[in-house]
Amino acid sequence: MSSDQEITSLHCDAQMEPDRLNSPNTSAIMFEVLGHQLQFSQDPNSKHLGTTVWDASMVFVKFLERNCRKGRFSPSKLKGKRVIELGAGCGVAGFGMALLGCDVVSTDQTEVLPLLMRNVERNTSRIMQMNPGSDSFGSVEVAELDWGNEDHIKAVNPPFDFIIGTDVVYAEHLLDPLLRTILALSGPKTTILVGYEIRSTNVHEQMLDMWKQNFEVKIIPKAKMDRKYQHPSIQLFIMGLKPSAETPETSSPPINWETNEIGTRETENSQDKNGDSSNETIESVDFVSDKVKEDGILLRGLQNGKLNEWEARRYGSMAARLLRDVKIT
């Protein structure tokens, strides 16, 4: 069985027992989101991928944090926007949007919902206690949504202003139901934001081919991401329906990363000091080379005893990658 098949089997077949939320194996991640210290319970031992906080969700939220002062991700532009999160898992990405004023529906498979609901209730309470009477926080609700399930899709009342998802792309056979679900939830002005860690170049290439047939697809430049919370193998994409499928009156503004606000231009240089183009097109990336460079940096940091929390997470990812193909006999 291939590694992708093994992951898929865990995702589709494993059940999370109701009492696992109180088990000794349950851990919690403390994560600062837009000035709020939030706590996300996770259960890495549940054998369901959705019960773990994955790094791409952190990169996504920190991207929002960096780009929320002006432009299309500012609270003034996002207040009251309807957002649906696919494969929400522990719910990290949805809270990033809700703290900017969006009304978020966080969705996942039924096995993950108890943990997701616990995180939503706890963190909503934390936010409201810290900001009593404030209307800056939108809302987060939880719903079941299996990709491709027409009844589940109708129940969440599409279309949405934004569709978001982090680390939802990892197995080939899930690409088609994910695409069909995104299309069913979209309207002419829907913006799609997807972040994930590339683990299979084959799945990645198939995904891009499918997306480019239906959407305008842009990679969010590294220069737009948080300086700390980024990684060569974690990419963020912003997408909208192709203009050819829309009428001029209903189409969304063109995706243009020479700006903070899509559809207008700024005078800042379109290339940062690291050479990152702020209007990147989709191109092949040497992920093996990038991973080797990252591994070297992390190992030097480990030897010096200077790993921060994010680097420690990436060190764990590196260790898991190295051990993935080890056969124990």
Side-chain angles (χ1 to χ4, degrees), residues 30-40 123 126 130:
M30 295 298 297
F31 188 51
E32 183 177 332
V33 182
L34 292 158
H36 296 266
Q37 282 289 341
L38 302 185
Q39 180 176 326
F40 294 95
N123 288 307
R126 278 175 175 259
M130 291 175 64

Side-chain angles (χ1 to χ4, degrees), residues 166-178:
T166 55
D167 267 327
V168 293
V169 179
Y170 54 85
E172 181 179 345
H173 84 278
L174 294 175
L175 294 178
D176 182 65
L178 174 60

Side-chain angles (χ1 to χ4, degrees), residues 84-88 107 145 147 163-166 168 178 181-182 185:
I84 187 164
E85 181 180 10
L86 301 178
T107 70
L145 200 161
W147 299 344
I163 299 171
I164 66 173
T166 55
V168 293
L178 174 60
T181 300
I182 291 174
L185 294 168

Side-chain angles (χ1 to χ4, degrees), residues 11-12 84-88 107-109 145-150 153 163-186 190 192-197 203-204 206-208 210-211 214-215 237 239 241:
H11 181 74
C12 296
I84 187 164
E85 181 180 10
L86 301 178
T107 70
D108 213 312
Q109 295 178 312
L145 200 161
D146 287 319
W147 299 344
N149 186 307
E150 294 183 2
I153 291 170
I163 299 171
I164 66 173
T166 55
D167 267 327
V168 293
V169 179
Y170 54 85
E172 181 179 345
H173 84 278
L174 294 175
L175 294 178
D176 182 65
L178 174 60
L179 174 62
R180 287 188 284 110
T181 300
I182 291 174
L183 290 171
L185 294 168
S186 297
T190 299
I192 302 134
L193 295 164
V194 177
Y196 72 98
E197 182 166 353
V203 172
H204 172 67
Q206 290 186 58
M207 177 207 72
L208 287 183
M210 295 173 69
W211 284 1
N214 295 274
F215 308 111
F237 292 86
M239 305 187 292
L241 290 175

